[in-house]
Amino acid sequence: MTALTPLPGVDTLVEAALRRVGAVTSDGADDLVARARRWGPDLDAGIRAVFEPPRADALVARLAEIAVSGWLDRPQALRDRDRDRLLTPDWFQGPDTLGYVAYADRFGGTLDGVSTHIDYLRELGTTYLHLMPLLAPRDGANDGGYAVADYRAVRRDLGTMADLESLATALHAAGIALTIDLVLNHVAREHPWAEAARRGEQHYRDYFHVFPDRTVPGEFERTLPEVFPDFAPGNFTWDDDVAGWVWTTFNDYQWDLNWSNPDVVCEFADITLFLANRGVDCLRLDAIAFLWKRLGTDSQNQPEVHGLTRALRAVARIAAPSLVFKAEAIVGPAQVVHYLGVGDYAGHVSDLAYHNSLMVQIWSALATRDVRLLVRALEKFPPKPTTTAWATYLRCHDDIGWAIDDTDAWQVGWNGPAHRAFLSEWYAGRAPGSFARGAEFQVNEATGDSRMSGSAASLVGIEQALEAGDAALLARAVARLHCAYAMVYGFGGIPLLYMGDELALLNDTGYLDEPAHADDNRWMHRPRMPWDVAAMRHDSDTLECRVFAMVRHLGDVRRSLPSLHAAVESVTVETSNPAVLAVVRRHAAGDLVQVYNVSEDWQRCDVGVLGSLRDRELVEHLVGDVPRIEDWQLVLAPYAAVWLAAR
Ligand code: GLC
């Protein structure tokens, strides 16, 4: 009888791999092994949640090897950064963390061009820059760069990998962390893996989901939603070269990867470390909800997704611990918290996740002048792990999908589908009294659903006011923008300022003249940075100056308030006035109470919202004036946004 030998731990595997290459006594090797001891169990747990032995054992061993080779390639400056970040693990949670999101080409022309605008970013207090897809995409239509043909090369017109490294170094020197996209659900049809599959190589055909006929796709389609019903209906595309139906959730040229293939897992572990070693601090895990497919479901948010993330993150923690993950999971509240981790996964998956619900609810509240649905939606969020943070935002490069839960709507006395239809009407500027100038995106004839494109300024009414040449209307629209961004900056987590919002840039219809963009109106809110307009931020009396100063001020105030650290939650407080939102952040350094009036009328709410601050001498941080209190009520100006604390 042979006794079962226990499987070696990841630290043992790492040490053995170091020994094989003669690096076990090299500088930092001890720390690497220590980290493998610390995060090895995560790697193991993640993989074993998805794969059975002996495949799981082999995969863990391969990932340990990848971690070692990734670490061996890691430049010393980044190893130093790892050490510093390990000493400050909450580096992305503090109130000083401010995000900015831009397309490299539209912001700076090239990667080198971006570095010439670092001062502009610093002016806004930026400490975190997300540059939109910049890895080499396919030629022609490429979904804004989300159809990657080479993860190890930069888009030709933007520069080279060496330029990306120089930019990262320059950003780091300015105190700015760099985020880029890691598209892991799909590759371009022109990616070498897909090309090899198309040449008939079985090894690579297994990287994808390919079906000989419609039988299986037909079964899946029964429960799959459509992401682009308008220009890419269905989830499968016939491909002559592979003589089969290929899974394509998004566009027909974006081939979904088969993550149940361990080779795919290893490829991405390797790519993750490759990008980390170029100086990238955060990977935005694009469309991560779609990674795992399961018959009879919508094939989103499957538990395996979290096992895979846990394992990938563990590889990164071992080899490049200053790297963090941001989940792009645009899913409901009950699902999204799983990306930050629930139960045994808490704090072991992504470090950041987009707060899509907050974004949608801010727009809903501004249209209805009613915060009850927002409050209802936020109340449903379980607390997130204290080591993680939300990425909060008002606008991004995508459309706004009206992610409003029918039950929530019903509980505040509304009808879900009717409310979503109203929001589309309102923001498309068709509803009577609308202040918005947006455009519908992906109208789904079958379900009646539609989403919304448009820049923040155009959606909050600045475009309408400028058209009307009405100064009072303009002041009101700017106040509306301030109110919305104050919620984004005040929620806790990383506020993401979307390029152009700081200058109130309007919709850009130029995309209609570009054949690769014309059918996708999301390009109306992806403008090129007009640097001549940006220069006006210093001319007092201009709209640009007003809005820029306003956004900058939000950042300055935020930075000064320890209670905005992401470790604590924002909790809504009953205001007994549907037009008024109150949020409390309870923090050891002192509580912060935020009150927002989402309407153009004066409003009042009970002083009870002040909670623990009630009998204290108050200070207001955003505007400097504590609202008047009359008859036990706070009196709030139109679109007031106030952040109150004890003096
Ligand atoms: C993400 C991106 C979106 C893209 C999709 C497919 O949702 O934000 O722009 O179309 O992924 O990659």
Side-chain angles (χ1 to χ4, degrees), residues 132 143 146-147 181 183 186 228 250-251 254 284 286-287 328 330 397-398 522 526:
M132 298 294 296
D143 190 24
Y146 287 104
D181 287 84
V183 185
H186 44 267
F228 296 140
F250 294 89
N251 291 288
Q254 287 164 302
R284 172 189 180 276
D286 180 70
E328 191 248 347
I330 306 305
H397 70 293
D398 277 328
R522 290 179 296 174
R526 300 170 179 176

Side-chain angles (χ1 to χ4, degrees), residues 57-73:
D57 311 332
L59 183 50
V60 169
R62 281 173 77 188
L63 291 170
E65 294 265 354
I66 290 170
V68 171
S69 60
W71 177 76
L72 287 169
D73 288 343

